[in-house]
Amino acid sequence: MQNTPVSSLVGEEYEVEVGPVAHGGHCIARTEAGRVLFVRHALPGERVVARVTEGEEASRFLRADAVTILDPSKDRVEAPCPFAGPGKCGGCDWQHAKPGAQRRLKGEVIAEQLLRLAGLTPEEAGWDGTVMPAEGDKLPQGEVPQWRTRVQYAIDADGHAGLRKHRSHEVEAIDHCMIAAPGVSELGIEKRTWENMASVEAIAASGSHDRQVVLTPKPGGRLPLVELDKPVSVLRVDEKDGGVHRVHGRAFVRERADDRTYRVGNGGFWQVHPKAAQTLMLAVMQGLTPRKGETALDLYCGVGLFAGAIADRVGDQGAVLGIESGKRAVEDARHNLAAFPRVRVEQGKVESVLPRTGITEVDLIVLDPPRAGAGKQTVHHLAGLGARRIAYVACDPAALARDLSYFADRGYKVRTLRAFDLFPMTHHVECVAILEPAEKGR
């Protein structure tokens, strides 16, 4: 029996009416035949010509770019960045939307995910439906917040720095990233060639003048002599074990939050927006309202941002346990929290370490899981510890909504939810949900 050849629809064009925004930086549309399109570079209510970028005859849906705008939305603007648009850089999703419209779209995505996956309306989640801009991000039209303190440049075959196209390994060579923080731009990464390099990550700490580049060589590639426009430390990623090693300069950068300095080593995780760490820390502390003498868990604790803030507030009679999987992050957390004798940080996956701690009850919990969320097993374990308040920090509204439904199954309800636009021009959004036992009234 012969196999029917797969019929690609890439390059086909459809004139469509654009429907609602969907999670992932695109909107939903349907062809006259009823086929679903996920359309980037479009806005709800527009009529556009959409060109297929991924999909076949048998596909459940097609991915497409809006290549011609026939009837534009009032929220549409000319993309400020010359590298934004169909077939170009995939880093920004909403350059073509007014800043206020971007936040409304993100709010619609959060609301849709909450309702679909957790069965919650905004009112039931204690959320007013708004996505708040970070301090200083409200700018005149045409100006873009320069917020990205960490930029991962891909290197093309000619050694030029650029950013990857959407859902592609292809590199869009650029001479400047508009959303890069000044401390990144001033390094001049895009001005030079990077022979034998696969990627170059630039880090500009917002809590100090520390600058760092992390080089990932191509297999067998030799490190170049790094001469940039500003003093910088250099690290490299080992092609054998994936570890990050110091070449010269400091192996860490210094960040600030809650009037405390945090060491972040070997290109480790810290919030990318310069206002994010402080914004999220305050939202978590305001939601948890730690009291003297309380005990707390900080899960997926990174270098100890929330653990330090809680420890400062529960005092010498309180105690905090942090759990983090990254070895270097744990070393940094222990260094950063050394002034708090009642703070302990354990290394390992939360789902493995938490059951081994023997902890059966705790007053407060904060968790900031990776994009996939904490998952049912971990949520059910946490719900059994009887915490009076839980703070859930989420970078993905779908994962948040799924985990909130698991918490609801085990007797926890959402007290409040706040959303912050800490990734302007992209579809990403940060949320902080505060939960409490359902038997407690609001």
Side-chain angles (χ1 to χ4, degrees):
M1 183 176 176
Q2 286 188 328
N3 291 327
T4 304
V6 174
S7 180
S8 172
L9 293 176
V10 173
E12 290 290 317
E13 293 186 353
Y14 300 93
E15 185 176 319
V16 294
E17 192 85 31
V18 180
V21 65
H23 185 30
H26 51 255
C27 296
I28 297 174
R30 289 183 182 272
T31 67
E32 289 185 356
R35 187 183 289 274
V36 174
L37 298 179
F38 289 167
V39 188
R40 280 172 58 80
H41 311 293
L43 292 172
E46 293 186 325
R47 190 152 193 88
V48 306
V49 175
R51 180 181 298 151
V52 176
T53 56
E54 286 183 50
E56 303 161 349
E57 285 284 2
S59 300
R60 288 193 304 111
F61 59 84
L62 307 175
R63 296 184 183 276
D65 282 339
V67 293
T68 304
I69 311 303
L70 303 173
D71 186 9
S73 164
K74 61 180 175 53
D75 290 325
R76 176 171 286 276
V77 295
E78 190 73 28
C81 177
F83 305 108
K88 298 181 182 180
C89 170
C92 290
D93 307 291
W94 300 119
Q95 287 261 354
H96 58 286
K98 294 176 181 176
Q102 294 181 33
R103 292 191 287 273
R104 287 199 305 275
L105 292 170
K106 295 182 187 192
E108 289 172 18
V109 168
I110 296 168
E112 190 270 338
Q113 296 296 312
L114 286 173
L115 187 61
R116 186 169 66 86
L117 297 174
L120 293 171
T121 64
E123 293 77 17
E124 290 168 333
W127 176 44
D128 64 5
T130 62
V131 176
M132 297 298 297
E135 179 188 341
D137 277 358
K138 281 194 171 183
L139 298 172
Q141 187 169 317
E143 292 188 32
V144 174
Q146 298 173 306
W147 59 271
R148 195 166 189 95
T149 61
R150 292 163 178 248
V151 177
Q152 179 95 30
Y153 294 93
I155 308 301
D156 68 16
D158 297 320
H160 298 137
L163 299 168
R164 296 200 184 278
K165 299 180 180 181
H166 181 61
R167 294 174 61 84
S168 171
H169 292 293
E170 281 189 66
V171 179
E172 175 81 9
I174 65 172
D175 56 21
H176 176 63
C177 175
M178 289 189 76
I179 64 172
V184 169
S185 298
E186 68 187 11
L187 293 177
I189 301 288
E190 305 97 333
K191 295 179 184 177
R192 61 159 295 166
T193 56
W194 298 90
E195 294 180 6
N196 302 317
M197 293 297 105
S199 70
V200 177
E201 182 179 15
I203 299 170
S206 54
S208 66
H209 293 293
D210 295 343
R211 304 289 181 264
Q212 194 174 79
V213 295
V214 183
L215 305 177
T216 302
K218 292 178 180 177
R222 296 180 60 184
L223 285 187
L225 179 65
V226 178
E227 294 180 343
L228 294 171
D229 294 351
K230 295 286 182 179
V232 66
S233 298
V234 179
L235 310 178
R236 69 164 291 166
V237 177
D238 190 284
E239 64 180 271
K240 294 179 180 177
D241 63 11
V244 182
H245 307 286
R246 184 178 68 88
V247 177
H248 70 74
R250 285 195 184 99
F252 58 86
V253 296
R254 294 162 296 177
E255 298 285 4
R256 291 280 295 174
D258 201 28
D259 295 325
R260 187 174 295 106
T261 296
Y262 287 84
R263 185 182 80 181
V264 185
N266 287 11
F269 175 79
W270 185 261
Q271 290 287 341
V272 178
H273 194 293
K275 302 290 185 180
Q278 184 72 10
T279 297
L280 295 173
M281 182 278 302
L282 285 175
V284 168
M285 293 305 106
Q286 289 164 0
L288 291 181
T289 60
R291 302 166 185 163
K292 296 295 184 184
E294 288 193 313
T295 58
L297 292 174
D298 180 8
L299 308 180
Y300 317 93
C301 71
V303 300
L305 170 65
F306 299 120
I310 295 172
D312 199 36
R313 289 158 176 80
V314 299
D316 294 341
Q317 299 306 308
V320 183
L321 172 66
I323 301 177
E324 164 60 39
S325 62
K327 182 179 179 181
R328 178 58 199 251
V330 169
E331 292 174 4
D332 287 335
R334 288 171 177 166
H335 169 86
N336 295 333
L337 304 172
F340 300 107
R342 299 272 289 165
V343 174
R344 191 168 95 250
V345 182
E346 298 289 344
Q347 186 198 345
K349 293 183 179 296
V350 168
E351 60 268 27
S352 301
V353 174
L354 188 57
R356 296 201 305 263
T357 63
I359 293 173
T360 56
E361 59 182 356
V362 70
D363 296 306
L364 303 171
I365 299 170
V366 57
L367 63 158
D368 185 4
R371 192 166 299 282
K376 182 184 289 188
Q377 177 186 340
T378 297
V379 166
H380 286 183
H381 189 131
L382 296 178
L385 299 179
R388 69 171 180 85
R389 291 236 176 126
I390 298 172
Y392 190 126
V393 182
C395 60
D396 184 273
L400 170 64
R402 280 193 298 269
D403 284 347
L404 290 183
S405 72
Y406 300 146
F407 273 114
D409 291 341
R410 292 303 176 100
Y412 274 81
K413 69 175 183 181
V414 187
R415 176 184 172 86
T416 61
L417 187 144
R418 298 170 69 185
F420 302 96
D421 189 18
L422 301 179
F423 307 90
M425 302 291 159
T426 79
H427 75 273
H428 299 289
V429 62
E430 201 85 19
C431 295
V432 176
I434 304 298
L435 297 91
E436 64 183 10
E439 62 269 18
K440 291 183 65 174
R442 278 204 189 278

